[in-house]
Amino acid sequence: MKKVTLHDKTFALSIPNSEIQRAIDTVAAQISKDMGTEVPVFLVLLNGAFMFAADLLKQIEKPCEVSFIKYASYVGTQSGGSVSELIGLNTNIKGRTVIILEDIIDTGLTVEKLLNDLGIKGPAQIKIATLLYKPDAFKGNYKIDYVGISVPNEFIVGYGLDYDGLGRNFKDIYTLCETC
Ligand code: 5GP
């Protein structure tokens, strides 16, 4: 079994790139079919979704817009608490179909916040596409329209996902291995 070490932890290969690509082909075909003749706005949630977005969007052979968004955390000067602000949304989404591209949905809280932050901007509809989904951890109260691969509730890296800044560049996905 192929292994990688990042900082103090070892990870074992769990999802090879060939399986990731097959899942992406399926999601891309579903999205293309559902799009019809509509021109949606894809919103790529950085940093993790960059690799998924690059491979998925190449398979969407119809006109679409693509924008990259991110949550920037900073310590608020007034409240003293940590504030997370959505940055990078420079496309007007009023009346548009928005498709969020996310790397992984775990508890679902990040996408729930994003749905609220985008909802006040008046889109016609918001759809969600995630490469990876942890059903045993999900606490959200919304529908996920497109799921690439459901995974166990374990910590994974690679294909955009990092451990403390490392591992995003790997083409395969690796699972934290406590006994390696
Ligand atoms: P949620 O808000 O759904 O709990 O978490 C979403 C975010 O947490 C993801 O975008 C990702 O950044 C991070 N995350 C959740 N599970 C994992 C994991 O197994 N590995 C890594 N590297 N990040 C994860």
Side-chain angles (χ1 to χ4, degrees):
M1 176 63 68
K2 190 174 170 194
K3 291 176 190 161
V4 293
T5 298
L6 302 172
H7 300 295
D8 56 333
K9 302 214 182 301
T10 302
F11 299 81
L13 179 66
S14 52
I15 310 177
N17 186 265
S18 55
E19 193 181 325
I20 297 169
Q21 296 304 331
R22 274 200 303 275
I24 291 174
D25 287 351
T26 303
V27 170
Q30 289 168 343
I31 292 176
S32 297
K33 183 166 162 278
D34 294 349
M35 274 167 63
T37 55
E38 199 166 359
V39 178
V41 182
F42 285 94
L43 292 184
V44 183
L45 191 54
L46 296 176
N47 294 323
F50 78 98
M51 225 180 247
F52 172 46
D55 282 344
L56 178 92
L57 292 169
K58 280 182 271 186
Q59 309 288 336
I60 308 278
E61 295 183 88
K62 293 180 181 185
C64 63
E65 287 181 46
V66 183
S67 209
F68 298 88
I69 55 174
K70 183 170 183 159
Y71 276 108
S73 290
Y74 58 92
V75 177
T77 50
Q78 301 210 317
S79 67
S82 179
V83 182
S84 199
E85 186 200 358
L86 184 65
I87 57 170
L89 183 61
N90 45 24
T91 306
N92 183 0
I93 61 168
K94 193 167 171 50
R96 303 289 302 273
T97 289
V98 170
I99 305 177
I100 296 168
L101 298 186
E102 171 63 310
D103 52 355
I104 185 165
I105 295 183
D106 184 333
T107 63
L109 293 176
T110 305
V111 168
E112 192 154 290
K113 178 164 166 43
L114 183 57
L115 289 171
N116 290 332
D117 289 344
L118 296 176
I120 56 175
K121 298 182 188 297
Q125 59 172 336
I126 305 177
K127 293 185 168 188
I128 303 161
T130 187
L131 174 64
L132 300 152
Y133 171 52
K134 293 184 182 171
D136 295 339
F138 187 63
K139 294 187 179 70
N141 197 13
Y142 54 87
K143 175 170 146 257
I144 305 171
D145 301 274
Y146 309 101
V147 172
I149 305 171
S150 291
V151 295
N153 195 4
E154 296 168 325
F155 189 76
I156 54 182
V157 294
Y159 202 79
L161 294 165
D162 74 311
Y163 167 52
D164 202 9
L166 299 181
R168 289 194 201 279
N169 54 308
F170 296 148
K171 68 180 177 18
D172 306 305
I173 289 174
Y174 296 79
T175 299
L176 177 64
C177 181
E178 307 285 2
T179 52
C180 288

